Amino acid sequence: MLNEQLVSYSGVQPSGNLTIGNYLGAIKNFSLYSEKYKTFYCVVDEHAITVRQIPADLRRRTYETLALYVACGLDPEKNTLYVQSHVHEHAELAWILNCFTGFGELSRMTQFKDKSTKHADNINAGLFTYPTLMAADILLYQTDVVPVGIDQKQHVELCRDIAERFNQVYPGSFTVPEPIISKSGMKIMSLADPTKKMSKSDENTNAVVYILDDKDTIIRKFKRAVTDSDTCVRFAEGKDGINNLITIYSCFTGKTIEDIEREFDGKGYGDFKLAVGEACADALAPVQTKFKELTADKTYLESLMKKGAEEASYYARRTLGKIQKKLGFVKI
């Protein structure tokens, strides 16, 4: 615990255009934590290179992800916003934690299995040890809570196991974190295949709504969303497409499922899809406007990176120094 204040930590990869799944499941809720916690929000560029990146694209997306943090409501004065590779302690602690993590534990990670299938020509060691770097990200700041999407819950559970194992050998080393998963929008599904999670790496761009899509594009994508042969807007088993659209509409409007079913009673899917698209576009409009302002000022974004790295490094050094001393490393 830093200065007797609870700590919240989260990170987003700069590996592609962020989707409304990233927004609703995580980023939209991040600003809520700054009143209660000391908050760290990281652009996790080191995680991104487990998949081959075009350097110029990675640099651009690093700036853009930082800008999106601010555009989505994160005040740089209330939150520590920084880039992972600017704080070398992340990689150093990750190596230490690798030595306290079982091969079998990493083998069971669902994301490793999924990405190994998608990137069969590049199943690298970094992809395998990704969860220990994520554990280092979290434990480095003595984190109490981790706001994550449901697909990352397994990684946080592994992080807890690693922290508890380390603490058994070296008592009092790490705070054991708890995951926080938003009840609303915790898993937004693909518009083309609503049995699968919406993914920024999906090759079918019509399956994904990006935070930076313009209004016409957003409405067109929702109009094409896969539904079913029924015409009644209701949340029910077997209606994956409509259930997903109801969830999205609920997240953007704050309306309950019951409210939505009443609102569209007697109306068809066409009316409903249009309403979802408009609600989504209207909610994202101010984010997009702010994003354009921020990305036009590279000097300002770099000043945020520098300030955030200095703040994060202060806390990271304290934890890593303590851990190195416990392990018996010689300091000079």
Side-chain angles (χ1 to χ4, degrees), residues 187-198 226 240-241 244:
K187 199 166 186 180
I188 301 301
M189 312 306 282
S190 162
L191 298 187
D193 182 357
T195 64
K196 296 179 181 178
K197 178 190 165 190
M198 185 178 287
V226 170
D240 296 328
N244 187 40

Side-chain angles (χ1 to χ4, degrees), residues 37 40 86 106 126 144-145 153 163 180 200 212 229 234 241 249 260 275 300 304 317:
Y37 301 99
F40 294 88
H86 294 170
L106 294 174
D144 296 280
V145 297
K153 185 171 183 283
I180 296 180
K200 60 187 175 183
L212 299 177
S229 58
R234 59 189 175 89
Y249 190 63
I260 296 166
Y300 173 68
L304 291 187
R317 284 195 303 270

Side-chain angles (χ1 to χ4, degrees), residues 52-53 87 142 167 169 181 187 200 224 233 261 304:
R52 293 286 177 264
Q53 301 290 331
V87 181
Q142 302 296 347
N167 286 347
V169 182
I181 299 171
K187 199 166 186 180
K200 60 187 175 183
R224 293 179 178 179
V233 178
E261 289 175 341
L304 291 187

Side-chain angles (χ1 to χ4, degrees), residues 100-153:
F100 287 80
T101 307
F103 186 90
E105 290 176 307
L106 294 174
S107 300
R108 289 190 290 273
M109 293 294 104
T110 302
Q111 194 168 90
F112 173 69
K113 295 175 184 176
D114 292 344
K115 287 198 173 182
S116 296
T117 302
K118 289 180 181 177
H119 305 281
D121 59 335
N122 182 28
I123 305 174
N124 57 72
L127 188 63
F128 187 67
T129 60
Y130 175 109
T132 54
L133 177 56
M134 181 172 168
D137 299 337
I138 296 166
L139 299 179
L140 200 53
Y141 301 96
Q142 302 296 347
T143 301
D144 296 280
V145 297
V146 187
V148 288
I150 196 167
D151 57 317
Q152 290 291 337
K153 185 171 183 283

Side-chain angles (χ1 to χ4, degrees), residues 139-288:
L139 299 179
L140 200 53
Y141 301 96
Q142 302 296 347
T143 301
D144 296 280
V145 297
V146 187
V148 288
I150 196 167
D151 57 317
Q152 290 291 337
K153 185 171 183 283
Q154 187 185 37
H155 286 166
V156 180
E157 289 171 347
L158 176 61
C159 174
R160 288 172 51 83
D161 291 341
I162 295 169
E164 288 170 349
R165 182 179 303 133
F166 199 99
N167 286 347
Q168 286 176 355
V169 182
Y170 304 103
S173 295
F174 295 119
T175 300
V176 180
E178 294 282 349
I180 296 180
I181 299 171
S182 172
K183 292 180 180 178
S184 64
M186 62 182 182
K187 199 166 186 180
I188 301 301
M189 312 306 282
S190 162
L191 298 187
D193 182 357
T195 64
K196 296 179 181 178
K197 178 190 165 190
M198 185 178 287
S199 171
K200 60 187 175 183
S201 60
D202 198 317
E203 293 180 359
N204 180 2
T205 56
N206 287 319
V208 185
V209 177
Y210 300 106
I211 295 175
L212 299 177
D213 277 344
D214 61 60
K215 185 168 185 174
D216 288 344
T217 301
I218 290 172
I219 290 175
R220 174 176 53 78
K221 288 181 177 181
F222 277 112
K223 283 182 176 179
R224 293 179 178 179
V226 170
T227 49
D228 53 63
S229 58
D230 193 5
T231 57
C232 182
V233 178
R234 59 189 175 89
F235 198 96
E237 187 175 349
K239 292 171 66 68
D240 296 328
I242 283 296
N243 292 349
N244 187 40
L245 295 180
I246 288 174
T247 298
I248 293 170
Y249 190 63
S250 173
C251 290
F252 279 120
T253 64
K255 296 176 182 178
T256 66
I257 291 173
E258 292 75 16
D259 290 338
I260 296 166
E261 289 175 341
R262 280 194 297 271
E263 181 181 353
F264 291 93
D265 184 26
K267 297 180 181 178
Y269 285 174
D271 290 336
F272 181 52
K273 288 180 178 182
L274 178 60
V276 179
E278 288 180 338
C280 175
D282 290 347
L284 293 178
V287 173
Q288 295 173 357

